[in-house]
Amino acid sequence: MRAFHLLTGAEAPALLDLPVPAPAEHQILLRIAACGLNFADLLMIEGRYQDTPDRPFTLGMEVAGTVAALGAGVTHLAVGDRVAVFGGSGGLAEWGSFDAARAVPLPDSMTEETAAGFQIAYGTSHLALDHRARLRPGETLLVLGAAGGVGLTAVEIGKLMGARVVACARGADRLEAARAAGADHLIDAATQDIRTEMKALGGADVVYDPVGGDQFEAAFRACRPEARILTIGFASGSVPQIKANHLLVKNLTVMGLYWGGYLGFRPEVLTRSLATLFDWHAAGRLRPHVSHVLPLERAAEGLDLLRRRAATGKVVIRI
């Protein structure tokens, strides 16, 4: 099979021919139809992601496809089922063996290409806004990186939950994508001062930040008393240093959200969240945005789109 594989000592992954993996006990063999790309894939290549596998390994955290074989002990799935899987790695290949407990049956309304980019982006935003920040109707939500893979879903879900959504992104095209997802107000991070614009809007009750760096600092200073700040990631490459005395003065809360971490200590929280999201999609309440669908041989190009922040929504690799 073809796989986008990262060898020991290699600077970049390459498309290689590897054996098809056999499913172990409690695993399924998946004929992969599509794989969603994530910023974490770039961090894995650099060895900077918190769950980077030991090399050599195949990239690709989330996939969708058809069950081709069952390992011993798997009884809740059948050959031919369409499923999405968060495997953490192994998705940029024609075949993959994954833990059957992580497989989620797909509704008829969802294509494999949509499903491949659905779990992490929507799951992260829903868990962050609902489970962690307890976003309430009428509150003001500031979304940084609002045109990116997770940012765009935060805009959409925040609006669905009844918030007034302020989307911050760079450039008119990216802001238009956020507006189409439901944003009430737009801030161009390339030309406008985030703190000034947010102050004019009355400040933020919740900040959703997958960017970090200077944007975190500006949003931090534009918070209302008792605001909640969600740290989702650091696409800017800069991890902000938080001044605890400023937290004290405004009674602020800063909280982290690592979606995949819930698999290890509270998987039922993640499962309930995904069930809600699939129901919303089936009811037509969510409109996933995939800006690029590329073939496997162009996976490096897809990762470069993420690196340059040249994509809106998700980049998906069709296998």
Side-chain angles (χ1 to χ4, degrees):
M1 69 172 188
R2 297 181 304 157
F4 199 58
H5 204 67
L6 190 58
L7 293 170
T8 302
E11 293 185 1
L15 196 58
L16 303 177
D17 189 23
L18 300 177
V20 175
E25 187 176 8
H26 302 301
Q27 285 189 330
I28 56 171
L29 175 65
L30 196 68
R31 177 69 173 96
I32 299 171
C35 178
L37 298 185
N38 293 276
F39 193 79
D41 291 310
L42 297 174
L43 297 179
M44 284 188 187
I45 294 171
E46 299 169 3
R48 296 194 294 125
Y49 191 60
Q50 57 263 27
D51 277 343
T52 300
D54 293 332
R55 295 191 185 200
F57 70 94
T58 296
L59 287 158
M61 300 178 72
E62 56 179 338
V63 300
T66 303
V67 177
L70 305 175
V74 178
T75 59
H76 66 290
L77 295 170
V79 172
D81 284 353
R82 294 192 321 130
V83 298
V85 182
F86 170 72
S89 62
L92 284 171
E94 294 174 321
W95 300 86
S97 287
F98 302 101
D99 185 346
R102 297 190 178 194
V104 181
L106 296 185
D108 293 339
S109 61
M110 187 176 288
T111 68
E112 283 90 351
E113 288 173 0
T114 296
F118 188 86
Q119 290 186 95
I120 294 177
Y122 278 98
T124 294
S125 293
H126 184 253
L127 220 57
L129 297 175
D130 182 65
H131 179 71
R132 295 291 280 146
R134 308 292 184 185
L135 178 67
R136 298 185 294 268
E139 290 191 312
T140 298
L141 167 66
L142 170 61
V143 180
L144 305 179
V150 292
L152 207 57
T153 63
V155 171
E156 190 176 9
I157 290 173
K159 188 64 177 177
L160 221 167
M161 293 176 68
R164 179 177 70 150
V165 180
V166 183
C168 179
R170 292 182 180 274
D173 290 347
R174 298 175 69 77
L175 286 170
E176 175 56 27
R179 186 204 61 75
D184 299 291
H185 302 278
L186 306 174
I187 298 175
D188 191 333
T191 60
Q192 295 176 288
D193 181 75
I194 296 171
R195 182 186 181 190
T196 300
E197 297 298 324
M198 282 307 301
K199 287 287 188 180
L201 292 170
D205 296 300
V206 175
V207 175
Y208 182 98
D209 179 20
V211 178
D214 292 342
Q215 290 194 27
F216 173 93
E217 181 69 23
F220 186 93
R221 291 176 172 273
C223 283
R224 291 175 175 169
E226 293 194 327
R228 291 90 74 201
I229 304 171
L230 292 155
T231 58
I232 307 299
F234 313 104
S236 67
S238 175
V239 178
Q241 303 303 302
I242 299 167
K243 296 178 180 178
N245 59 320
H246 291 187
L247 296 177
L248 180 152
V249 171
K250 282 192 174 181
N251 293 291
L252 302 180
T253 301
V254 179
M255 54 188 75
L257 190 283
Y258 168 41
W259 182 80
Y262 277 86
L263 287 168
F265 67 95
R266 290 193 66 188
E268 74 281 359
V269 173
L270 190 150
T271 302
R272 285 198 302 267
S273 172
L274 283 176
T276 297
L277 291 166
F278 279 121
D279 285 345
W280 283 354
H281 181 273
R285 303 181 72 188
L286 297 176
R287 295 178 299 166
H289 178 68
V290 177
S291 66
H292 294 78
V293 178
L294 303 172
L296 182 57
E297 54 268 23
R298 294 174 63 187
E301 180 183 334
L303 289 171
D304 190 55
L305 288 169
L306 299 187
R307 186 180 292 109
R308 295 187 290 109
R309 302 190 207 178
T312 58
K314 291 292 290 191
V315 177
V316 171
I317 301 301
R318 181 191 296 116
I319 309 299

